[in-house]
Amino acid sequence: MLGSARQDYFSKYARHATWQHRDVATPPAVDALPLSRRPTAEEGTMLWVLLLYLSCIVLQPSSAYVEDYYCGEHNCYELLELTRDATKQEIKRAFRSVASKTHPDRFQDPEEKRVAEERFQLLATAYDILRDDEAREDYDYMLDHPEQFYQNVYRAWRRRMAPHVDVRIVLAVTISFISLVQYYNGWTKYEEAIKHFSTVPKYRIHAIEIAKKEGMLITDKKKLKGMSKDQIREQEEKVIRQVIEKKMDIRGVYAKPTYRDLLWVQLVLLPYWTFQYISWYARWVWKFGILREEYGDEEKLYIIRKNLGMSGGQFDSLDEETKLQYLDMELWVKEKFKAWKEERDMEWRVKMASSGRYKSYRRHLKNNGPGRIYFDDS
């Protein structure tokens, strides 16, 4: 009887629930959804981000104090018995007054001394925060915006971890370090160039001839008497190096470094160079753009360098004979430069076509193609 009554009750409740929700469509299973309605990976990622953000808001502590930062769970103003509008002088006097009462040296008992040390350290932290304008501003912002817990944690962490060094000192040290690296790198490249020219027979023989003419190289056997072969060779190498350093005009990247190559000097001279470039450009426009004057040799070489796409150092490394040839061919004229470039490209293609190594390379590309890798299993 009881069982039938209970069954009638639940069946009645089920009919009632069905009657209440009969207008609501039953959601289909996820597997039954069409492919276009299934959640994508991007939607899943966005959902997780949203859940994480909501959890951060829900789980945000109600207390405004940031643990392990500032004064912890204590109020820095209350520790020093101050109000929010206290001045720096009032903060200083309050710290001396409160700290003198709880100084560890006033206590002899070990336990009391330990408690006093912790209290004094907390007071010193409060004093350091309130006497610094920026730290006090962040702390007041935390007290005024307790709901922004994680933002306050970040601001406190940023202030603690930020280096307490003047930015100007950092910039000065960085620029000095770069200048030293530049100077060292310049001397290294210059030494490589001198060492290279000392081993090239063409320049080596020429340097020996100059050394003999100027009497720098000892050739008298009587003076060489008593010197070993290694000593004679070392002296000869030293003289050859001196001649090359003195007579060889090394330009471009491997030129001898000077103080003008340092970053410090370049930054100091940057305004002067900028003014010089603006003046030069205005002079160029006035003379050759408005007055239509003819180019001089310096201007012609500048246009030739631009047509060749070379930097100032690369163009300066060319010998004078090559530059004179460019001037004789009038390569500053666009049409003549274009014809000369096409002719030189044609000569290069003919030369490469007659090269056996280039023919072998072309056959390799034709038969195998670029970028293929084969393994020899034999």
Side-chain angles (χ1 to χ4, degrees):
M1 185 70 179
L2 183 60
S4 60
R6 183 178 298 175
Q7 184 176 4
D8 292 341
Y9 173 77
F10 281 110
S11 61
K12 184 177 181 181
Y13 174 78
R15 286 196 303 271
H16 178 68
T18 304
W19 176 81
Q20 281 185 335
H21 298 86
R22 68 176 184 269
D23 295 333
V24 180
T26 304
V30 175
D31 295 337
L33 289 173
L35 186 60
S36 60
R37 292 181 59 189
R38 293 182 183 180
T40 62
E42 291 79 3
E43 293 175 346
T45 305
M46 292 178 62
L47 180 60
W48 279 109
V49 172
L50 180 61
L51 290 176
L52 181 62
Y53 177 74
L54 293 176
S55 63
C56 290
I57 295 177
V58 173
L59 299 177
Q60 187 165 249
S62 57
S63 175
Y65 301 120
V66 180
E67 189 177 358
D68 297 332
Y69 291 98
Y70 299 121
C71 297
E73 297 180 353
H74 301 276
N75 189 304
C76 296
Y77 290 100
E78 294 178 357
L79 288 173
L80 299 180
E81 301 175 0
L82 292 169
T83 58
R84 291 280 298 272
D85 55 352
T87 62
K88 285 189 175 182
Q89 293 296 329
E90 293 175 348
I91 294 172
K92 189 175 182 180
R93 286 196 299 267
F95 171 71
R96 289 181 178 179
S97 175
V98 177
S100 61
K101 301 176 183 177
T102 59
H103 199 278
D105 295 340
R106 295 171 59 89
F107 302 92
Q108 301 298 329
D109 184 69
E111 182 64 23
E112 294 180 352
K113 192 177 186 66
R114 184 187 62 81
V115 174
E117 288 178 352
E118 295 178 356
R119 180 71 176 179
F120 184 81
Q121 185 177 2
L122 193 60
L123 294 174
T125 303
Y127 175 65
D128 291 337
I129 292 171
L130 297 182
R131 72 174 179 173
D132 184 83
D133 293 334
E134 296 182 359
R136 184 178 181 181
E137 181 181 356
D138 288 345
Y139 183 71
D140 290 341
Y141 184 88
M142 182 194 71
L143 296 179
D144 295 334
H145 302 83
E147 73 282 357
Q148 299 181 7
F149 177 79
Y150 295 103
Q151 293 88 329
N152 295 328
V153 170
Y154 170 73
R155 291 163 70 97
W157 173 86
R158 182 184 60 182
R159 177 159 301 281
R160 175 183 292 183
M161 302 303 294
H164 300 283
V165 182
D166 194 346
V167 179
R168 293 170 294 183
I169 298 177
V170 175
L171 289 176
V173 172
T174 303
I175 294 173
S176 301
F177 177 75
I178 295 174
S179 300
L180 291 175
V181 172
Q182 281 181 322
Y183 196 69
Y184 174 77
N185 186 50
W187 270 108
T188 303
K189 288 185 177 295
Y190 179 70
E191 292 290 335
E192 290 178 0
I194 296 296
K195 187 176 180 180
H196 169 73
F197 288 127
S198 300
T199 57
V200 176
K202 173 183 176 182
Y203 302 107
R204 185 181 180 86
I205 295 172
H206 189 54
I208 292 174
E209 293 177 355
I210 295 175
K212 288 180 179 179
K213 288 180 181 179
E214 297 183 359
M216 300 174 62
L217 191 63
I218 301 175
T219 57
D220 191 358
K221 294 183 179 180
K222 294 182 180 180
K223 295 182 179 180
L224 295 175
K225 191 175 181 180
M227 297 176 63
S228 63
K229 292 183 178 180
D230 293 337
Q231 291 176 340
I232 295 173
R233 189 180 300 108
E234 183 179 354
Q235 183 192 19
E236 183 179 344
E237 293 294 333
K238 184 178 181 180
V239 171
I240 291 173
R241 179 185 176 89
Q242 290 177 355
V243 173
I244 291 177
E245 289 180 355
K246 185 178 179 181
K247 301 295 183 180
M248 184 72 70
D249 186 16
I250 303 175
R251 301 181 182 180
V253 181
Y254 293 90
K256 188 175 182 179
T258 62
Y259 71 94
R260 297 172 70 92
D261 299 327
L262 301 179
L263 181 59
W264 264 120
V265 179
Q266 292 175 353
L267 291 176
V268 171
L269 296 178
L270 181 61
Y272 170 73
W273 287 341
T274 304
F275 174 76
Q276 194 176 32
Y277 174 77
I278 294 174
S279 302
W280 173 86
Y281 186 78
R283 171 182 169 274
W284 185 283
V285 173
W286 174 256
K287 288 186 65 175
F288 308 114
I290 299 176
L291 299 181
R292 298 293 180 178
E293 295 184 6
E294 294 185 0
Y295 295 124
D297 290 343
E298 184 179 353
E299 289 80 12
K300 292 176 182 177
L301 289 175
Y302 173 77
I303 298 174
I304 292 173
R305 179 173 71 83
K306 288 297 183 181
N307 291 338
L308 292 172
M310 302 174 67
S311 63
Q314 291 174 333
F315 192 77
D316 291 340
S317 62
L318 299 177
D319 54 80
E320 296 297 328
E321 184 179 354
T322 303
K323 296 178 181 179
L324 291 176
Q325 290 178 359
Y326 289 162
L327 288 174
D328 292 339
M329 290 184 288
E330 299 181 355
L331 295 185
W332 70 87
V333 181
K334 187 178 296 185
E335 292 77 11
K336 293 185 179 182
F337 174 79
K338 186 177 180 181
W340 171 80
K341 190 174 185 304
E342 290 177 355
E343 182 180 353
R344 192 181 66 167
D345 292 344
M346 181 62 67
E347 291 177 356
W348 182 83
R349 285 194 292 267
V350 171
K351 181 179 179 181
M352 294 302 295
S354 60
S355 173
R357 182 177 297 180
Y358 185 67
K359 288 180 180 180
S360 175
Y361 175 71
R362 290 180 62 185
R363 284 195 299 269
H364 170 74
L365 291 180
K366 183 178 180 181
N367 297 330
N368 301 322
R372 297 186 182 181
I373 300 177
Y374 298 93
F375 296 93
D376 188 6
D377 297 331
S378 58

